[in-house]
Amino acid sequence: IDTAVEICRQLGVSHLTPHYALNCCAAAKESGVASSDVTALPSALDLKGVVLSCWPPAGDIAQVDRLNSQAGGFVQSLVHLAASTSTSADVLVIVTHREGIWEVQQATQLDAGCGYCGFVSFCVYPTSATVQVHAPWPAYKGFERRAKGDRRHILGAKGVVDLIVQRGRALFHRAPGCSQKGPTSRLWVTPGARGVWVQGSSVECGQVVEVTSSPVESEGGEDQVFVRVRCGSGLEGWTN
């Protein structure tokens, strides 16, 4: 809400509409979009004169939670939101979390790596339920909390160092020295959202996978670096 308020002030917009579908951070995916941990009524001081069109936020909580637990669920929420928006404007400004932007980037074949305060432009086609990059408009990747050169958080015992080094085919392992096929790991739908796994994903230690993204930082209790990988079966997901 704080970021949306500042954007409204810069654009000269007097109202903003909160929507549960835009609450797609790791915490919301773990505990639900209506959890008191992730949803609180902003104070008048926080709103700085901007008016909320509704409160509680709009949207079907059960539907949003269901989509948040699925790979690509935010893209579906975005399409539904664009289709249901009652406005004559051609441009819809959506303020959401990095995790949601990563999903849209994946769906449009972009590198999933939008950081804090980043922005990307997309064309949403509700009739065909598709999203495409709007290339004529500029994009800003944003920034991360850690310096680019800081790799200490990647090199822990749980790290997948081979995957961090560069894109391409790499050997999946969950611990240093693990090179033989053995224990399996599940892929994450969203970095940091523990328990929200890609359905049917089970990657063996020693399996060859394809790295499809740059490293991104998760939030919350995990606070780790993730990369997106594609298995030989075609399943994709995040791993740390």
Side-chain angles (χ1 to χ4, degrees):
I1 292 290
D2 292 343
T3 303
V5 165
E6 294 302 330
I7 291 176
C8 284
R9 296 179 68 198
Q10 291 297 318
L11 297 179
V13 176
S14 60
H15 290 67
L16 68 85
T17 302
H19 199 290
Y20 281 120
L22 303 181
N23 194 2
C24 55
C25 64
K29 292 196 173 191
E30 286 183 318
S31 56
V33 294
S35 168
S36 59
D37 294 334
V38 294
T39 304
L41 176 63
S43 68
L45 183 62
D46 293 332
L47 292 175
K48 301 177 181 178
V50 176
V51 179
L52 295 181
S53 299
C54 62
W55 195 268
D60 185 318
I61 294 175
Q63 181 187 44
V64 172
D65 281 339
R66 177 178 59 82
L67 291 175
N68 271 352
S69 68
Q70 302 174 10
F74 181 75
V75 177
Q76 297 182 53
S77 292
L78 181 62
V79 171
H80 294 161
L81 188 59
S84 62
T85 300
S86 56
T87 176
S88 58
D90 293 328
V91 179
L92 178 63
V93 178
I94 291 179
V95 182
T96 188
H97 298 274
R98 300 175 307 149
E99 291 90 336
I101 298 176
W102 294 340
E103 287 194 34
V104 184
Q105 288 178 315
Q106 295 156 24
T108 55
Q109 309 304 310
L110 290 178
D111 181 19
C114 188
Y116 292 98
C117 299
F119 60 84
V120 188
S121 302
F122 300 100
C123 293
V124 182
Y125 301 94
T127 54
S128 60
T130 58
V131 181
Q132 296 180 1
V133 179
H134 187 58
W137 287 9
Y140 172 60
K141 191 171 183 178
F143 61 92
E144 295 293 351
R145 291 170 294 172
R146 300 184 179 93
K148 284 185 177 181
D150 187 356
R151 287 291 186 263
R152 291 172 295 174
H153 54 291
I154 298 176
L155 302 177
K158 290 180 63 182
V160 282
V161 181
D162 289 350
L163 302 185
I164 298 296
V165 175
Q166 61 182 11
R167 306 264 198 103
R169 292 165 62 83
L171 191 68
F172 183 92
H173 64 83
R174 297 297 297 164
C178 172
S179 59
Q180 301 298 319
K181 288 190 175 181
T184 60
S185 298
R186 288 173 292 185
L187 298 178
W188 305 56
V189 169
T190 301
R194 179 172 292 278
V196 185
W197 312 116
V198 174
Q199 187 174 6
S201 66
S202 182
V203 188
E204 284 188 332
C205 181
Q207 181 176 335
V208 175
V209 296
E210 181 183 357
V211 184
T212 61
S213 81
S214 300
V216 300
E217 296 179 6
S218 67
E219 298 200 12
E222 299 301 326
D223 196 25
Q224 297 180 31
V225 169
F226 286 73
V227 289
R228 189 168 177 84
V229 299
R230 180 184 300 119
C231 303
S233 63
L235 283 175
E236 291 190 42
W238 296 90
T239 187
N240 62 338

